[in-house]
Each structure stands twice: as C-alpha cells, then as structure tokens.
Amino acid sequence: MENTDSTDGTGNGQENAVPGKTQYRDPEGAAALEEAIVAGKEGRISSQELVARICESELLSVGRLQDEQDPSSFQALVLRAPEGEAAVAATFTTAARVPEQIREQAPVMVKAGGEATLRSIAQGYGLAINPGSDMGLELAPEGVAAIVAAYDQAAANRAAQGASDGEADAPQLP
C-alpha cells in the first residue's frame, strides 16, 4: 500500500513525496493547537476557545485505502478504549505524533481542517486528537455532535442576518 504522506523514518520529520499528492508539512498551527489543548486542560482558556482552535486548525486522520487506486475509499482508524467507552476517530496534530504501531496499521494520512474533520465523523463516534499523548484530548460523540450543531446554528444565524441585511439594502419600489 502506498502512503499518501509519511515520514522518512529518520525521525527528522522530513516527508517523502508521493507523485500527484500534496506533501504534508507540519503546520505552525499544530504547536498552537497543542498549546490550546494544554491551556484548556489547565483551565487557562474556555472550552469554547479550545473548540474554536480545533475547528480552525488542521488535523491528520490516519487510516487505510479500501481500494489502493481510489483515494475516496479512505477508511479512518477508529480506536476503542478497553473500558468499552465510545469509539473515536484517531487524529493527530502532526505526523511526528503518530505512533509507529499506528503507522503500521493505518499507513495513509489525510490532512483536513478541524471543522471538516468533525463534520466527517459518523454519528455515535467521538474524536481523539493525539491519542495517548499529553498533548491530546478526546471528545465524546455527544461533544462532536454538539460542536457540529453549534457551527450549523451559527451559520444559519449568519445567513438569516445576511438575508435581513440584504432586504434592508434593497431599493423600495413605489
């Protein structure tokens, strides 16, 4: 199986290029997201600020291609805690945070915005960012659903506001 993005195994963070694929570069935003996760855990920022940072950041989803010739056949890695809690989609802030054991099981990495990643998670699944790391967190399925619903409501409110603003600006006919 061909990796869309992978490190060169030297530990220096250099990625191998794959023809026809955009090479992943660990964004500066990864450090900011990790700092926001720590700040959220320590109570230095609100949960709303943390959610906003997640949604505006880029995340790496890891998984496999069901059909090596079809990038749309990507199946994300899902993890389940031994305690039987809800399954979560595994994501990472940088390629360097993906443990070797996971790389072997889920060699394909897909980069997407945090909001798009949250929207792509099926109902009943949570989200884990950097699972097993001090720089990580887990959102339960209810949290993922609430965040998506809040963003949908905010978009609806903006659309309604835009429509009412547009009506006010429309010329009045006699």
Side-chain angles (χ1 to χ4, degrees):
M1 174 169 300
E2 179 177 76
N3 291 348
T4 56
D5 297 304
S6 64
T7 61
D8 63 7
T10 63
N12 65 10
Q14 296 295 312
E15 277 71 39
N16 294 327
V18 176
K21 300 286 184 187
T22 302
Q23 189 174 11
Y24 178 74
R25 302 268 188 241
D26 289 343
E28 291 179 18
L33 176 55
E34 291 175 357
E35 173 56 30
I37 290 169
V38 171
K41 288 179 176 181
E42 294 174 352
R44 292 184 283 128
I45 64 171
S46 71
S47 58
Q48 292 84 0
E49 290 171 303
L50 177 55
V51 166
R53 177 60 69 175
I54 293 168
C55 288
E56 67 191 24
S57 297
E58 291 182 331
L59 294 173
L60 286 176
S61 295
V62 295
R64 295 186 160 277
L65 295 178
Q66 295 299 326
D67 175 356
E68 291 185 31
Q69 305 304 315
D70 181 8
S72 69
S73 71
F74 178 76
Q75 295 293 310
L77 176 67
V78 174
L79 302 174
R80 184 178 300 276
E83 302 84 46
E85 295 178 22
V88 294
T91 63
F92 299 87
T93 52
T94 68
R97 293 254 181 235
V98 182
E100 188 60 37
Q101 180 181 9
I102 288 179
R103 287 176 189 265
E104 292 169 8
Q105 298 299 314
V108 178
M109 296 181 191
V110 176
K111 176 177 63 170
E115 183 180 352
T117 299
L118 285 165
R119 289 180 179 285
S120 73
I121 297 173
Q123 184 175 356
Y125 289 85
L127 172 73
I129 301 173
N130 296 333
S133 168
D134 290 342
M135 300 291 180
L137 69 87
E138 188 173 313
L139 296 173
E142 301 80 24
V144 171
I147 291 166
V148 171
Y151 269 80
D152 287 346
Q153 183 62 51
N157 291 346
R158 283 191 302 274
Q161 181 63 37
S164 65
D165 288 348
E167 291 172 7
D169 294 337
Q172 298 296 318
L173 298 176

